[in-house]
Amino acid sequence: MRKTFVLDTNVLLHDPQAVNRFEDNQVVIPIEVVEEIDRFKRDPSEKGRNARQVSRLLDQLREKGNLAEGVPIDGSSGGTLKVVFCRSETLRQLPPELKAGNGDNNILAVALEQRLQEVVGGQAPVVLVTKDTNLRIKADAVGLIAQDYTTDKVDMADLYPGFSERWMGAELMDQVKAGEGLSADAIPSQPIPVSPLQANEGVTLVDLAQPAHTLLARYNGRTGNLQPLQKSAKARMGRIQPRNREQAFALDLLLDPAVALVTLVGKAGTGKTLLALAAGLHQVADEHLYERLLVTRPVISLGKEMGFLPGDLEEKMAPWMQPIVDNLDFLLGGEDTQPARGSHRPPRSNWSDLKGMGLLEVEAISYIRGRSIPRQFMVVDEAQNLTPHEVKTIVTRVGEGTKIVLTGDPYQIDNPYVDAESNGLTWLVERFKGQLLSGHITLMRGERSELAELAANLL
């Protein structure tokens, strides 16, 4: 049945192409939304860019006819778009507490008017689409159907974990261990139904006769075979060794130059950043596969902003990069803060040493647009605070020979405009699932400390 969707401003600012996502239904944009879009268009942030894109899209549709009467939407199968005013008599029908006439109430009134036309003229059902939780509550209170914008949402319960189990005989496991390869078609039927293997998916092989006998492997999407993990390469990384199955799968992906995009998702303390930096330093400094390690992260604070930070770009970025410094100090044996006795040599900093040798570079995400980044190992930490558009901008900066790793915890988000199901990291995981150039692992077990693991599970 054809429906009428009334869009809130935050939907268009989140996805400027939202009007094209409703197939053959009617899309209604209140004039109050156009006013709010106009106020955002001078914003230098992503919201401003999206606002300008929405304005250009509406102007293109305006050339097809009168927006007040409705115009066809490009690329849709019969969908139409209307821009409508909020009538004062409809506002008077709102409850006394909602008659202030602010932006949300005007949008609510437009949705109520559309529903009245539905009742009188037998039109399609009316749905208010907004990412504002309070507006959805108001809509429900006045009897309107309201829903979140779910086009780019990812159900966390169904998020692709990046690994699975397969049961088979010991002889087949030995074949994989010997490096001979085992076709996915040759894997025997499983005790319970399983999904088809995705490219670069980690696989735990379990012996049917002795379940305690297991082998870790990875599915090679190019050859269609299971292959053992790169244990020899991991042995050369010194003190950094995987402590659990998921870390072993993650390290295997991080050390494979053929996998150009790796996403690591997990709660605090699971080793996401540490593994990414360890693999990056190993391949930059020891194997010389990449020219340098490039590290970046969103500049979004946990609490209240501290205000203006003096200094050049490196000094401004220093507080945001401290978690990276902590991990580098751990990887390189800690920072030597005490000079040798009788020596006037200043304290040595692992961070400064790596930068001085040209092995490490820090990049602010704010200035990454327009760059082309070839032959580098790129780590984007705390990527759960990025929007899908920002993640797209970052990944499309990757040049020839570059490997990019995005890490984050979807349940620790400080950006007020995204949540666990709509952030750029989980969106990227689902979009790139099964691609030959990408791999993903969800890290389950915390390894930072017993207390950190307990806190992550209980708090």
Side-chain angles (χ1 to χ4, degrees), residues 297-364:
R297 69 197 303 262
V299 286
I300 298 176
S301 61
L302 172 63
K304 187 176 181 180
E305 292 284 356
M306 295 179 62
F308 173 75
L309 295 175
D312 56 21
L313 179 61
E314 181 178 344
E315 293 171 325
K316 292 178 185 292
M317 289 290 293
W320 308 105
M321 289 296 139
Q322 191 58 45
I324 307 298
V325 176
D326 295 341
N327 281 284
L328 288 175
D329 285 340
F330 177 81
L331 289 172
L332 301 177
E335 183 174 349
D336 181 12
T337 57
Q338 298 295 328
R341 180 176 297 179
S343 171
H344 298 288
R345 181 175 58 85
R348 177 178 62 85
S349 169
N350 293 318
W351 177 268
S352 300
D353 287 349
L354 289 172
K355 293 189 68 176
M357 291 185 289
L359 300 179
L360 176 67
E361 180 182 348
V362 178
E363 177 64 72

Side-chain angles (χ1 to χ4, degrees), residues 177-422:
K177 186 176 182 180
E180 299 175 6
L182 176 67
S183 172
D185 297 333
I187 299 176
S189 58
Q190 301 298 296
I192 59 174
V194 292
S195 301
L197 292 174
Q198 304 288 342
N200 298 314
E201 181 175 342
V203 183
T204 302
L205 305 181
V206 184
D207 191 340
L208 284 167
Q210 300 180 25
H213 177 211
T214 62
L215 174 68
L216 302 184
R218 175 152 62 94
Y219 178 63
N220 189 323
R222 290 182 172 86
T223 63
N225 292 334
L226 291 174
Q227 61 186 34
L229 302 189
Q230 306 175 44
K231 291 186 177 180
S232 59
K234 293 170 188 174
R236 295 197 300 268
M237 293 185 61
R239 63 185 298 186
I240 299 300
Q241 297 292 332
R243 293 187 175 183
N244 55 56
R245 175 184 61 175
E246 292 79 28
Q247 286 191 357
F249 289 142
L251 207 50
D252 191 67
L253 292 173
L254 292 168
L255 292 171
D256 188 351
V259 183
L261 170 67
V262 177
T263 50
L264 301 179
V265 169
K267 61 187 177 183
T270 51
K272 306 179 296 294
T273 306
L274 183 66
L275 289 174
L277 292 176
L281 280 177
H282 173 68
Q283 293 173 94
V284 169
D286 299 334
E287 296 188 339
H288 307 291
L289 294 177
Y290 307 97
E291 292 183 355
R292 66 177 58 86
L293 175 63
L294 175 62
V295 182
T296 185
R297 69 197 303 262
V299 286
I300 298 176
S301 61
L302 172 63
K304 187 176 181 180
E305 292 284 356
M306 295 179 62
F308 173 75
L309 295 175
D312 56 21
L313 179 61
E314 181 178 344
E315 293 171 325
K316 292 178 185 292
M317 289 290 293
W320 308 105
M321 289 296 139
Q322 191 58 45
I324 307 298
V325 176
D326 295 341
N327 281 284
L328 288 175
D329 285 340
F330 177 81
L331 289 172
L332 301 177
E335 183 174 349
D336 181 12
T337 57
Q338 298 295 328
R341 180 176 297 179
S343 171
H344 298 288
R345 181 175 58 85
R348 177 178 62 85
S349 169
N350 293 318
W351 177 268
S352 300
D353 287 349
L354 289 172
K355 293 189 68 176
M357 291 185 289
L359 300 179
L360 176 67
E361 180 182 348
V362 178
E363 177 64 72
I365 283 183
S366 306
Y367 307 117
I368 204 169
R369 182 180 293 276
R371 285 198 61 184
S372 180
I373 305 173
R375 299 179 299 279
Q376 298 187 34
F377 191 100
M378 184 175 178
V379 177
V380 183
D381 197 29
E382 302 293 341
Q384 79 276 5
N385 283 316
L386 298 171
T387 67
H389 178 78
E390 289 170 334
V391 166
K392 177 182 177 181
T393 301
I394 293 170
V395 175
T396 53
R397 299 304 97 209
V398 172
E400 191 68 30
T402 287
K403 185 187 188 82
I404 182 170
V405 182
L406 294 95
T407 69
D409 179 2
Y411 293 106
Q412 290 192 352
I413 293 180
D414 304 312
N415 185 345
Y417 299 106
V418 297
D419 56 27
E421 297 180 334
S422 65

Side-chain angles (χ1 to χ4, degrees), residues 38-54:
D38 186 65
R39 289 195 290 270
F40 276 107
K41 69 181 182 182
R42 293 177 180 84
D43 194 312
S45 68
E46 182 190 359
K47 289 189 294 183
R49 292 192 296 270
N50 288 350
R52 293 188 292 272
Q53 188 173 347
V54 170

